Amino acid sequence: MRVLLVDDEEELVATLAERLEMRGITACWVTNHRAALEAVDRERFDIALLDVRLPEMNGLDLKRLIEAKQPTMKFIFLTGHGSEEDFNACSAESGREYYLIKPVQIDVLTAKLHEICAEQGDRQ
Amino acid sequence: MNGSHGKVDTLGLDYFGRMTASISHEIKNGLAIINENAGLLGDLVALTDKGRPLDPARLETIAENIRRRVQHADDIVRRLNQFAHSVSGPVTTVTLREIVESTVALAHRIAAMKGIAFTFSQDDTIKVETIPFILQNMVWICLKNIFQRHDSDTNLTLDFAFQEIETDVVIVMNFSHEIDTAATKAAISEEGKPIILFLKAQIYNDQTNRTIQLRMPKKFID
C-alpha cells in the first residue's frame, strides 16, 4: 500500500509517515499542495491523507486536483478542528468514514487505510 | 461597554470567536505532534522485542521534540489567557507596537496560511490611551481585509510603522507588493465602521506608496 500524507506541520507528517512505515505501509509526506501535486505526477498512490486546512489551498480543492491526475486514488481528510463546517464539507466529498480528527490514533488510521484498500481491491 | 455600543460588541464577539478558533487549531496541532512523538517512542520500544536496539540519541531527540511542543503549547495557552482577560479591560495607555504585536501574534497562523509575514519599523515608543481589546479588534479587521485581498501565490510582507502627528497617533501599514489599497481601505471602513466611530479614528490609503494608515486621537474620547 502506498500512501501520500499532506499536512503543513512537517514534524507531524514526518513522524506519522515513519510510524506507518514501521507497520509496512509505504508513506510519502509533503507539506504543501505544490509538493503533493509533484508527488502525484511522479508516482502512484493508493490513498492520500489530506489536512483540510492547508496553507494557500484547502484539502478539498487539492483532492479535486489529485483526483484529476489519479482517478482511482482514495482520500482521508484530517483536521484539527472537528467543526461542523469541516465535517459537512468532507462528508459531502468522501463519506463520513473518511474523516479523522487530530490527534489520530495510529491503530485507527492503519485499520482505516487497510479497510479502504480492501474495498478498492474488491471493486477492481 | 454599554448597550449603545452594541455593534462594537458584536464585532468584538466575532473577533474573539475567530481568534479562539484559530488558537484551538494550533493547540490541536501541537497535541497531534506530541501524540505522534509519544507513539513513536512506544513503537521504538516495541521494536526491541524484535531485536532492534534502542538508540539513546534518537530517544533524546524525540523527548526534546515533545518538550519543545509542550513549551509551544504553553505559550499559546498563555496568549489565549491574556487575550481572554483583555476583553473586559478598561481604558489604558499602551504602546501602538504592543497592540499591533499582540494582534499579529494571535493571527499569525491565519497569516502564514496566506503567505503573509510581518515586520516592525523601529519606533516602538508611541503610546495611545485606548481600550486595548477594541483597538486590537480594529487592527484585526485591517489584517483580515488585507488577507482577503492578497493573492496567496505570492508572499507579502506587511511592515508596521508608528507615527505621532499633533494630537493623533497613526499605525502605518506598508505593503511589500502591489495591493489595491483603495478597495482594501473601503472594505475596512465598511466592516470596521462601528469601531472607527467608537475610537474616533480615520482610515487613509496611498496607492503610490502602497500604504494604509489608521489614525486616531492619542487620548481616548468617550
Side-chain angles (χ1 to χ4, degrees):
Chain A
M1 190 195 315
R2 298 181 67 78
V3 178
L4 175 65
L5 309 175
V6 190
D7 193 297
D8 60 317
E9 288 284 358
E10 182 173 335
E11 195 179 335
L12 172 67
V13 80
T15 312
L16 194 54
E18 184 175 356
R19 299 188 69 205
L20 289 174
E21 294 271 356
M22 286 175 175
R23 288 160 176 78
I25 295 167
T26 305
C28 165
W29 61 268
V30 293
T31 56
N32 59 62
H33 73 280
R34 288 186 197 87
L37 293 170
E38 282 168 18
V40 172
D41 281 337
R42 221 174 31 238
E43 50 188 305
R44 294 204 69 77
F45 296 96
D46 299 297
I47 302 169
L49 188 68
L50 306 180
D51 187 18
V52 175
R53 301 199 181 199
L54 288 166
E56 301 173 43
M57 176 182 286
N58 71 50
L60 302 175
D61 289 338
L62 177 59
K63 180 212 171 208
R64 292 180 196 115
L65 293 179
I66 293 176
E67 237 172 0
K69 292 171 184 281
Q70 293 195 26
T72 59
M73 211 157 137
K74 295 292 172 192
F75 298 87
I76 297 176
F77 292 107
L78 195 59
T79 178
H81 284 283
S83 68
E84 197 176 348
E85 182 191 346
D86 280 353
F87 186 74
N88 290 338
C90 298
S91 298
E93 287 286 329
S94 267
R96 282 168 198 272
E97 68 277 24
Y98 299 157
Y99 174 83
L100 297 174
I101 297 171
K102 296 177 192 172
V104 175
Q105 296 310 309
I106 194 79
D107 293 340
V108 173
L109 175 61
T110 310
K112 183 56 68 187
L113 290 171
H114 284 299
E115 185 188 315
I116 295 169
C117 238
E119 279 173 15
Q120 241 176 328
D122 288 346
R123 283 196 203 104
Q124 282 166 5
Chain B
M1 248 181 295
N2 60 37
S4 66
H5 300 124
K7 287 179 182 170
V8 176
D9 288 343
T10 304
L11 283 170
L13 267 178
D14 181 63
Y15 174 48
F16 191 77
R18 183 71 198 267
M19 288 304 110
T20 50
S22 173
I23 292 167
S24 68
H25 184 89
E26 275 192 81
I27 294 170
K28 271 277 201 178
N29 265 341
L31 290 174
I33 292 167
I34 291 167
N35 181 61
E36 288 313 318
N37 276 300
L40 182 57
L41 280 177
D43 288 348
L44 292 172
V45 169
L47 282 174
T48 59
D49 289 345
K50 294 176 184 167
R52 181 167 147 180
L54 282 173
D55 173 2
R58 185 80 209 279
L59 296 185
E60 182 50 42
T61 303
I62 297 168
E64 180 52 33
N65 288 343
I66 293 174
R67 273 195 294 273
R68 194 166 36 80
R69 282 295 165 173
V70 168
Q71 181 60 52
H72 183 58
D74 188 51
D75 291 343
I76 295 167
V77 171
R78 195 171 57 249
R79 223 161 58 211
L80 175 63
N81 187 268
Q82 284 170 350
F83 181 58
H85 283 295
S86 76
V87 174
S88 54
V91 174
T92 311
T93 299
V94 288
T95 65
L96 287 175
R97 180 164 177 152
E98 274 176 74
I99 290 287
V100 173
E101 271 188 339
S102 56
T103 313
V104 162
L106 290 165
H108 87 97
R109 183 179 161 79
I110 302 167
M113 302 268 286
K114 301 283 284 179
I116 296 174
F118 301 102
T119 56
F120 289 86
S121 292
Q122 278 301 306
D123 198 338
D124 52 7
T125 58
I126 295 175
K127 291 182 176 176
V128 63
E129 184 190 271
T130 190
I131 297 176
F133 179 76
I134 293 178
L135 182 50
Q136 269 188 300
N137 191 356
M138 189 62 231
V139 174
W140 161 246
I141 289 169
C142 294
L143 293 180
K144 188 170 83 168
N145 282 283
I146 291 162
F147 295 170
Q148 284 169 356
R149 274 152 195 83
H150 168 60
D151 168 12
S152 57
D153 281 345
T154 57
N155 289 329
L156 175 75
T157 299
L158 175 49
D159 179 71
F160 287 96
F162 309 106
Q163 295 172 356
E164 201 164 0
I165 302 171
E166 298 165 356
T167 58
D168 289 348
V169 290
V170 188
I171 297 171
V172 183
M173 292 161 262
N174 297 288
F175 305 100
S176 62
H177 291 78
E178 196 71 38
I179 101 163
D180 185 342
T181 58
T184 308
K185 178 205 136 187
I188 294 168
S189 302
E190 177 63 28
E191 184 178 349
K193 195 173 175 183
I195 299 180
I196 291 168
L197 289 171
F198 185 82
L199 295 174
K200 315 281 186 295
Q202 288 166 308
I203 304 263
Y204 302 95
N205 75 295
D206 179 342
Q207 189 63 38
T208 312
N209 292 311
R210 298 199 289 239
T211 68
I212 290 178
Q213 302 184 7
L214 175 64
R215 180 169 174 162
M216 73 210 84
K218 68 174 94 167
K219 292 270 180 199
F220 181 73
I221 307 160
D222 198 0

